[in-house]
Amino acid sequence: LMAEHPDDPRALVNRLYIRCLTRLPDETEWEVIESTMPSAEKKDQRAWKTWYIGVLWGLLNSNEFLYNH
């Protein structure tokens, strides 16, 4: 997914949400997601990959995923 959306973290997170929860994140969730996002000027792919993995694990460990999917 990172190769498909290298400069668009919002599109990648949307894809993660759709794949895990079959919906897009709401505005409250986006506030939390953006607060943990690496700084925009940081081009370190490792930091972004670690962040995306964290978002994915958060989705997979959410009550919504555990009890609804």
Side-chain angles (χ1 to χ4, degrees):
L1 286 175
M2 286 182 68
E4 294 174 24
H5 305 286
D7 297 322
D8 191 359
R10 191 172 191 104
L12 197 146
V13 170
N14 283 341
R15 297 273 308 267
L16 290 175
Y17 261 79
I18 289 170
R19 288 182 180 194
C20 292
L21 304 179
T22 65
R23 66 174 180 83
L24 294 172
D26 63 28
E27 286 306 312
T28 305
E29 291 166 328
W30 264 115
E31 289 174 14
V32 173
I33 291 166
E34 288 176 337
S35 72
T36 64
M37 194 179 291
S39 61
E41 62 271 357
K42 194 169 190 174
K43 300 293 183 190
D44 179 16
Q45 289 290 37
R46 183 179 294 187
W48 282 99
K49 183 176 181 179
T50 300
W51 180 75
Y52 288 129
I53 290 170
V55 171
L56 177 60
W57 275 109
L59 293 172
L60 294 176
N61 287 297
S62 70
N63 286 335
E64 183 175 351
F65 181 81
L66 293 172
Y67 296 112
N68 294 338
H69 300 284

